[in-house]
Amino acid sequence: MTDSKKDEKQNLQEELGNAAEKLEKFVKPIFNAIVIVLPFLIKYVQVLCTFYSKLPDDIAAMLIGLIFCFFGGLYPTLFAALQAARLSGWDSLVGALKNLNQEIQVILEADKKDSLKDEDGDGIADVNELDSKEFFERKTKLVLTKINPTKVDDALSTIYKVWLGVAAALAIKFARTISLALSLADAINKPVMKYAGPFLEKAVPKEYSRWIPVVVAWITKSIGMSIAWYIQTIISAFTSAIQGGLMTARAMLKFCAKRGIKLGGFIPEDHNETLIDETIGYTLAALGFFFQFKVGFDITFPFNIPLMPFEMAETWLRWQITSDDD
């Protein structure tokens, strides 16, 4: 091995060592944040599932229709993913998520007990006296000893199989959007690298210069995705508003017909015998699209707080299917 290759290898090892040391500083706060946030997220999902499961079919249909009508354009990928999941093994997916939840609860309970231990009796919890490396090793050992690996492996395998079906469905459904996003990213990346590249090379330390094309590609891809998905959001808002409005109107008529509410013969037993459902549905569709347009196709405070999991899932799905198609 030549001296230059040895030096290059040594420099790479030093860079990796420095990066590892920097990452160790974030291990403890990240783990603590996960332990705090995860129970709330699990409880959030459980409450939603319990609430939905107790609803009568017609009321559930009305609720879903209203969500599509007023929020369909805000989370088009998420809603499409849920629809695809129902066709790709919904029951097995729910079972896998329940098994994972059980294992997570076991770990959280074990971590709660471990975080209170004070074996040296100095009045300070043992975990608070550890550095980042020791903390990471201790929590890793806790997870590996408390978790059921077979159960987790089966659950993750099931989730992955369902995800493959969902990803394929999303890639087909949003093929034009993905193609537009990648085309825009490529079109933006070339002039940015041509005109801004030389300035960035001067501004960035030489040892980090190889990261310039990668970071610029990430940024331009984000810009391309933002433009393409904004166009798709408008299209999805229009179509989902119509779909959701009609779904709500027809569910409303079924609700009234089942309970004998006819309003003097105004509400028929079969919605196919009247145009009332279309009238109500298109009115709701207009209101739903106007609402989404008014908020700029983005949920603002304070509604963005309870809907944050949906925002995160939508962003992740968009990036995932666009990245996979690259």
Side-chain angles (χ1 to χ4, degrees), residues 76-105:
T77 321
L78 177 60
F79 291 151
L82 291 174
Q83 289 177 329
R86 296 191 73 87
L87 302 174
S88 304
W90 180 259
D91 292 336
S92 58
L93 175 63
V94 172
L97 291 174
K98 286 181 178 178
N99 288 336
L100 274 184
N101 178 49
Q102 291 172 0
E103 293 303 304
I104 290 172
Q105 295 295 344

Side-chain angles (χ1 to χ4, degrees), residues 9-313:
K9 185 178 180 180
Q10 186 175 356
N11 291 335
L12 179 59
Q13 290 175 342
E14 290 178 358
E15 288 181 13
L16 291 174
N18 293 333
E21 289 179 4
K22 292 178 180 178
L23 286 174
E24 282 182 2
K25 298 178 181 178
F26 297 99
V27 169
K28 189 178 290 187
I30 290 174
F31 185 87
N32 291 333
I34 292 173
V35 170
I36 293 172
V37 173
L38 199 56
F40 289 102
L41 183 60
I42 293 172
K43 188 67 177 177
Y44 180 85
V45 174
Q46 288 176 338
V47 169
L48 287 180
C49 292
T50 303
F51 173 74
Y52 179 78
S53 63
K54 291 182 178 179
L55 291 176
D57 291 342
D58 43 13
I59 296 179
M62 274 191 278
L63 180 61
I64 293 173
L66 288 172
I67 292 173
F68 268 91
C69 185
F70 287 88
F71 300 97
L74 306 180
Y75 310 111
T77 321
L78 177 60
F79 291 151
L82 291 174
Q83 289 177 329
R86 296 191 73 87
L87 302 174
S88 304
W90 180 259
D91 292 336
S92 58
L93 175 63
V94 172
L97 291 174
K98 286 181 178 178
N99 288 336
L100 274 184
N101 178 49
Q102 291 172 0
E103 293 303 304
I104 290 172
Q105 295 295 344
V106 170
I107 294 171
L108 291 175
E109 186 62 31
D111 175 72
K112 188 185 297 183
K113 294 178 181 178
D114 181 63
S115 298
L116 296 175
K117 286 182 179 179
D118 181 20
E119 294 179 352
D120 54 9
D122 62 354
I124 302 174
D126 294 339
V127 292
N128 294 331
E129 298 178 303
L130 303 176
D131 59 28
S132 296
K133 185 177 180 180
E134 292 171 335
F135 181 87
F136 178 74
E137 291 175 351
R138 178 172 178 142
K139 294 303 180 182
T140 301
K141 182 180 179 180
L142 182 143
V143 172
L144 294 177
T145 54
K146 295 297 181 181
I147 205 169
N148 185 332
T150 303
K151 198 173 182 180
V152 172
D153 180 63
D154 291 342
L156 292 178
S157 297
T158 300
I159 292 171
Y160 182 68
K161 290 175 185 177
V162 175
W163 164 246
L164 289 178
V166 171
L170 293 178
I172 295 171
K173 183 177 180 65
F174 297 108
R176 291 182 180 179
T177 305
I178 295 169
S179 178
L180 177 60
L182 297 178
S183 299
L184 288 172
D186 186 57
I188 297 170
N189 185 67
K190 290 179 180 178
V192 169
M193 285 301 301
K194 181 178 180 180
Y195 296 107
F199 295 100
L200 292 172
E201 289 179 357
K202 293 178 181 179
V204 175
K206 189 176 181 180
E207 59 267 29
Y208 301 115
S209 60
R210 56 182 147 179
W211 282 93
I212 293 175
V214 178
V215 175
V216 169
W218 289 344
I219 295 172
T220 54
K221 190 171 186 177
S222 297
I223 295 172
M225 284 178 59
S226 298
I227 297 172
W229 282 105
Y230 185 78
I231 295 171
Q232 178 61 49
T233 294
I234 297 173
I235 297 171
S236 297
F238 184 78
T239 55
S240 64
I242 295 175
Q243 180 185 3
L246 289 173
M247 184 186 299
T248 303
R250 287 165 183 167
M252 193 185 304
L253 292 180
K254 287 182 180 179
F255 174 84
C256 293
K258 282 183 180 179
R259 290 155 181 80
I261 303 173
K262 296 185 178 181
L263 299 180
F266 182 74
I267 299 178
E269 294 185 2
D270 186 0
H271 67 80
N272 293 316
E273 299 175 356
T274 180
L275 293 176
I276 295 175
D277 55 332
E278 281 84 359
T279 303
I280 298 174
Y282 293 143
T283 302
L284 287 173
L287 293 173
F289 183 80
F290 178 75
F291 168 78
Q292 294 176 82
F293 173 79
K294 197 69 176 176
V295 298
F297 302 102
D298 188 27
I299 292 296
T300 55
F301 183 82
F303 302 105
N304 59 342
I305 295 176
L307 294 174
M308 188 176 293
F310 295 92
E311 295 278 349
M312 295 172 64

